[in-house]
């Protein structure tokens, strides 16, 4: 077999990185469950007509089909791999609404696939960790204020730099644009969402070209987008622009509620950022984007918002609000800068030294005794000199080597970091809690 060629956009972490990923996922999962979110996993494929409901995503969907189809059979390109977890969740709610208790709180941590151009922090296959709350007919607004609190606690549990959750409300934007007299607020939103990519001058030109804005209207839209505060002073800043609209008033009140709740829970966590639009069509109210401090140029690592009509069938409507952590995106950025590390490259806590090959059964019994009490243990691969077996452990970061007693002597265990060696019994010995599992920390 020739040397394989890597496929860009499909990350494969080394074992130590995979342990970090699993640790991060477990901490996120634990936080979600502390807030009462229940686990869910949906299928990997969805009908294309459902996937394409989300807006400008047709170029990103991977179509699913068999390599070899039956002769004469009609080609079926009606299924695609899901590119997020919100659309599958909405479909799941519609299919199972009769068996769910509302409001329904779920978390979902699994892979998704997106056919975009791979680059640092952006992948074609990646893990997302989502939470959503949906209700029947109406969803109280206080769930919008809860989302940043959950995410703030989840990130605070991880050994990563601090984050800033940027929040806005589409009602603020839409009400402002309508108050200006612009008749296509969705097009204005999509254009404003390009600010960070193309800059204000090109955005202003696009507003005139595609949204029918005058130069004065475009300038007003940019002034709104420039408002950024870490408290509720954004309300006065918007009022100072002199635009009136009932929807604008509603949006300002909701956005102030989100900022106030987050400021009380974790000062400095949330920032009102009125240029945040989220380019996806189904968001109707609060929207969130999260930046990792020191990595702002890479964009959001966690985003979401309120949606009123995504899960709708006939007269049934299940409005919701949710937010999604890009786990692979976050880790890819940190791995790229060696900013996260594990105390060892394997789960193993103890290596049982092998004095001679014929003593392997004895060593296996020692290992089993330790494993029964939750101590990750392996037996040395060969009966080499003890120095070589110690180096085997050192190279992997394994902290302890167990030496079976011979000729009636007691077993001993050595902490190879300190050199301390003491007698030990495999039926009772326990490592310090901090050594039982690999430790994950910022490098």
């Amino acid at each position: 077999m020739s040397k394989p060629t890597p496929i860009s956009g499909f990350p494969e972490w080394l074992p130590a990185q995979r342990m970090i990923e699993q640790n991060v996922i477990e901490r996120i999962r634990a936080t979600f469950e502390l807030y009462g979110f229940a686990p869910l996993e949906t299928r990997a494929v969805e009908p294309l007509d459902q996937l394409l409901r989300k807006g400008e995503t047709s170029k990103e969907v991977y179509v699913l089909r068999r390599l070899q189809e039956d002769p004469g059979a009609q080609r079926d390109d009606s299924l695609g791999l899901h590119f997020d977890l919100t659309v599958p969740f909405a479909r799941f709610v519609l299919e199972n609404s009769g068996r769910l208790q509302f409001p329904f709180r779920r978390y979902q941590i699994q892979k998704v696939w997106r056919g975009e151009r791979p680059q640092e922090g952006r992948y074609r296959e990646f893990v997302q960790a989502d939470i959503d709350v949906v209700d029947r007919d109406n969803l109280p607004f206080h769930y919008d204020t809860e989302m940043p609190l959950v995410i703030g606690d989840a990130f605070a549990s991880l050994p990563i730099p601090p984050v800033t959750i940027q929040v806005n409300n589409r009602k603020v934007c839409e009400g402002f644009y309508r108050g200006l007299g612009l008749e296509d607020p969705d097009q204005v939103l999509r254009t404003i969402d390009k600010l960070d990519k193309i800059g204000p001058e090109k955005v202003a030109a696009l507003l005139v070209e595609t949204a029918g804005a005058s130069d004065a209207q475009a300038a007003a839209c940019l002034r709104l987008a420039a408002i950024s505060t870490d408290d509720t002073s954004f309300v006065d800043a918007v009022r100072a622009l002199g635009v009136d609209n009932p929807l604008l008033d509603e949006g300002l009140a909701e956005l102030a509620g989100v900022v106030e709740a987050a400021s009380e829970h974790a000062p400095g966590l949330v920032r009102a950022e009125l240029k945040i639009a989220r380019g996806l069509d189904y968001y109707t109210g609060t929207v969130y984007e999260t930046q990792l401090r020191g990595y702002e140029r890479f964009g959001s690592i966690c985003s979401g918002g309120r949606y009123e009509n995504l899960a709708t069938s006939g007269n049934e409507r299940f409005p919701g609000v949710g937010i999604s952590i890009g786990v692979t995106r976050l880790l890819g950025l940190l791995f790229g800068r060696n900013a996260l590390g594990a105390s060892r490259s394997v789960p193993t806590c103890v290596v049982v030294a092998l004095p001679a090959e014929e003593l392997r059964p004895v060593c296996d019994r020692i290992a089993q005794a330790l494993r029964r009490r939750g101590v990750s243990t392996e037996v040395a691969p060969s009966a080499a000199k003890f120095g070589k077996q110690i180096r085997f452990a050192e190279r992997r970061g394994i902290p302890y080597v167990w030496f079976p007693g011979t000729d009636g002597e007691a077993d001993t265990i050595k902490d190879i970091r300190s050199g301390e060696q003491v007698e030990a019994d495999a039926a009772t010995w326990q490592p310090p809690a901090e050594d039982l599992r690999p430790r994950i920390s910022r490098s």
Side-chain angles (χ1 to χ4, degrees):
M1 179 180 179
S2 59
K3 185 176 181 180
T5 302
I7 303 176
S8 62
F10 294 85
E12 293 178 318
W13 307 131
L14 293 170
Q17 293 172 323
R18 174 61 174 153
M19 287 196 305
I20 293 172
E21 180 187 45
Q22 289 177 318
N23 182 278
V24 165
I25 288 173
E26 174 56 26
R27 295 189 194 192
I28 292 171
R29 182 202 62 77
T31 302
F32 289 171
E33 292 193 354
L34 281 175
Y35 277 83
F37 290 88
L40 180 67
E41 181 169 324
T42 55
R43 65 198 184 204
V45 298
E46 296 292 334
L48 277 180
D49 59 347
Q50 293 298 310
L51 292 175
L52 300 181
R53 290 175 60 198
K54 196 175 177 181
E56 300 175 1
T57 57
S58 59
K59 293 180 180 179
E60 297 182 356
V61 176
Y62 282 107
V63 172
L64 190 72
R65 67 179 181 87
R66 293 195 314 176
L67 182 62
Q68 295 188 16
E69 298 177 306
D70 296 334
Q74 184 175 359
R75 181 171 170 175
D76 183 7
D77 288 340
S78 62
L79 297 178
L81 294 172
H82 59 221
F83 58 87
D84 79 344
L85 300 177
T86 307
V87 170
F89 173 59
R91 185 267 308 160
F92 179 89
V93 169
L94 291 175
E95 288 185 0
N96 296 277
S97 60
R99 296 185 288 174
L100 300 176
Q101 299 296 318
F102 293 96
F104 178 47
R105 303 163 67 87
R106 84 82 171 84
Y107 74 86
Q108 203 167 333
I109 303 175
Q110 65 185 97
K111 285 188 175 182
V112 300
W113 295 267
R114 190 170 298 175
E116 60 181 357
R117 183 173 66 86
Q119 51 189 299
E120 188 173 15
R122 290 195 176 275
Y123 303 95
R124 293 171 175 172
E125 178 184 62
F126 51 96
V127 175
Q128 287 189 178
D130 285 27
I131 50 171
D132 285 83
V133 183
V134 296
D135 208 342
R136 192 185 296 271
D137 299 325
N138 294 289
L139 180 72
F141 175 74
H142 64 80
Y143 291 111
D144 291 47
T145 69
E146 183 185 36
M147 289 291 135
L149 313 188
V150 183
I151 295 302
D153 285 358
F155 281 130
S157 74
L158 304 178
I160 63 173
V163 301
T164 300
I165 302 177
Q166 300 174 328
V167 295
N168 195 6
N169 193 301
R170 283 207 171 186
K171 295 176 185 177
V172 171
C173 300
E174 183 176 344
F176 186 87
Y177 303 151
R178 291 192 182 280
L180 284 175
L182 293 168
E183 297 180 357
D184 191 356
D186 287 341
Q187 180 58 47
V188 179
L189 274 170
R190 286 192 291 270
T191 306
I192 291 294
D193 197 40
K194 300 176 181 178
L195 257 175
D196 287 340
K197 293 181 180 178
I198 64 176
E201 290 186 6
K202 291 184 178 179
V203 165
L206 277 176
L207 288 172
V208 173
E209 178 184 345
T210 64
S214 66
D215 289 341
Q217 289 171 325
C221 291
L222 290 175
R223 285 196 291 273
L224 178 73
I227 295 173
S228 174
T229 69
D230 56 9
D231 55 24
T232 57
S233 61
F234 68 87
V235 176
D236 292 336
V238 174
R239 296 295 186 203
L241 298 179
V243 175
D244 292 316
N245 182 273
L247 189 61
L248 172 62
D249 296 338
E250 184 179 340
L252 287 172
E254 290 183 354
L255 185 55
V258 173
V259 172
E260 287 173 345
S263 297
E264 180 178 346
H265 181 79
L269 173 65
V270 161
R271 184 171 186 84
E273 195 74 52
L274 271 59
K275 68 179 178 180
I276 300 299
R278 303 291 298 137
L280 305 172
D281 290 348
Y282 63 68
Y283 290 125
T284 57
T286 310
V287 288
Y288 317 93
E289 288 194 354
T290 307
Q291 292 189 335
L292 189 65
R293 295 180 197 173
Y295 297 77
E296 289 86 354
R297 69 187 181 90
F298 295 102
S300 180
I301 58 166
C302 172
S303 57
R306 159 75 72 139
Y307 48 90
E308 298 292 338
N309 302 308
L310 185 62
T312 304
S313 178
N315 294 325
E316 283 195 308
R317 188 171 67 92
F318 301 92
V321 62
I323 194 164
S324 171
I325 299 173
V327 176
T328 307
R329 178 169 173 73
L330 168 67
L331 292 177
L333 293 173
L334 295 173
F335 287 160
R337 283 152 184 75
N338 295 316
L340 278 180
S343 59
R344 53 187 188 257
S345 62
V346 293
T348 311
C349 178
V350 177
V351 169
V352 180
L354 185 63
E357 190 60 41
E358 58 268 23
L359 293 177
R360 185 172 291 277
V362 174
C363 296
D364 286 339
R365 285 193 291 272
I366 293 170
Q368 279 300 104
L370 292 168
R371 291 170 190 146
R372 277 193 291 268
R373 290 181 298 99
V375 181
S376 178
T377 308
E378 59 181 288
V379 177
S382 62
K385 292 180 179 180
F386 281 162
K388 184 175 182 180
Q389 297 188 52
I390 291 173
R391 286 193 295 274
F392 170 86
E394 284 178 329
R395 286 195 297 270
R396 292 157 178 80
I398 301 168
Y400 297 99
V401 176
W402 191 285
F403 296 97
T406 57
D407 299 327
E409 294 179 350
D411 291 3
T412 60
I413 189 162
K414 182 173 185 174
D415 183 335
I416 62 175
R417 299 162 299 183
S418 67
E420 181 183 10
Q421 186 167 340
V422 296
E423 291 187 2
D425 184 344
T428 59
W429 181 85
Q430 193 74 15
E434 62 270 20
D435 288 336
L436 190 58
R437 302 282 181 269
R439 297 188 306 278
I440 310 303
S441 61
R442 290 175 62 178
S443 302

